[in-house]
């Protein structure tokens, strides 16, 4: 791997690290522990390892598309890739920061759609990059179902 490629990979890892900071800043806390949750809710310790693996896959996926087509050749796929990172970062702020599972569910729908769009746009550039995002889509599908269930078990009172 040449220096340009390595620096590019570090940029994509950095973008994912910045995205992950939202989850580190907006932590579950007492409010979340006090919510009613379904029996299939994963233990809190499971989220960090799952997201670590997913963020690595997300970074490598974006890097592969950039390496294959460059910024000019993959402008739209990479803009949509950045949009899904913004949706990803926004979810923790809405769910844990604002304590609004209802609005977070709408947010996670946007995230889910942006991941699907990223996969579709990555496919013609790099099938491997697109496939690397499938576990992310599966996890966010699960997370959306969990978010919806927690919202329904804990109606927002205004």
């Amino acid at each position: 791997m040449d220096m340009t490629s390595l620096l590019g990979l570090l940029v994509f890892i950095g973008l994912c690290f910045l995205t992950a900071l939202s989850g580190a800043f907006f932590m579950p806390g007492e409010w979340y522990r006090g919510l009613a949750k379904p029996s299939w809710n994963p233990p809190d310790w499971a989220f960090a390892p799952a997201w670590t693996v997913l963020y690595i896959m997300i970074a490598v996926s974006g890097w592969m598309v950039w390496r294959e087509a460059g910024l000019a050749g993959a402008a739209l796929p990479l803009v949509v890739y950045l949009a899904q990172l913004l949706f990803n970062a926004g979810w923790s702020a809405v769910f844990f920061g604002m304590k609004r599972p209802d609005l977070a569910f709408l947010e996670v729908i946007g995230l889910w759609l942006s991941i699907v769009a990223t996969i579709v746009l990555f496919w013609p550039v790099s099938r491997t990059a697109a496939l690397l995002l499938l576990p992310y889509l599966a996890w966010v599908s699960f997370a959306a179902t969990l978010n919806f269930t927690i919202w329904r078990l804990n109606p927002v009172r205004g």
Side-chain angles (χ1 to χ4, degrees):
M1 176 179 326
D2 66 17
M3 187 57 78
T4 302
S5 189
L6 178 60
L7 288 174
L9 178 58
L10 292 175
V11 166
F12 282 93
I13 290 170
L15 289 170
C16 288
F17 177 79
L18 289 173
T19 301
L21 284 178
S22 176
F25 186 75
F26 298 104
M27 302 281 290
E30 289 303 315
W31 169 80
Y32 180 73
R33 283 189 276 286
L35 293 176
K37 296 178 209 67
S39 61
W40 44 271
N41 187 73
D44 290 347
W45 63 262
F47 289 90
W51 276 110
T52 299
V53 171
L54 291 171
Y55 281 129
I56 291 167
M57 294 173 77
I58 295 164
V60 170
S61 176
W63 171 72
M64 290 176 75
V65 167
W66 167 79
R67 193 180 63 177
E68 183 66 34
L71 289 175
L76 180 59
L78 292 173
V79 166
V80 175
Y81 173 89
L82 290 174
Q84 63 80 22
L85 288 179
L86 290 173
F87 273 110
N88 182 312
W91 184 88
S92 293
V94 175
F95 192 94
F96 296 119
M98 296 172 61
K99 299 175 175 59
R100 292 293 304 262
D102 56 338
L103 297 178
F105 181 68
L106 296 175
E107 226 288 335
V108 81
I109 296 302
L111 172 58
W112 191 91
L113 291 170
S114 66
I115 296 167
V116 169
T118 302
I119 292 168
V120 167
L121 292 169
F122 276 19
W123 186 262
V125 180
S126 170
R127 290 183 179 170
T128 303
L131 293 171
L132 277 171
L133 295 176
L134 291 179
Y136 178 34
L137 182 63
W139 181 260
V140 169
S141 298
F142 171 77
T145 304
L146 180 59
N147 184 153
F148 181 79
T149 304
I150 290 172
W151 169 33
R152 301 313 301 155
L153 291 171
N154 303 275
V156 176
R157 303 197 197 310

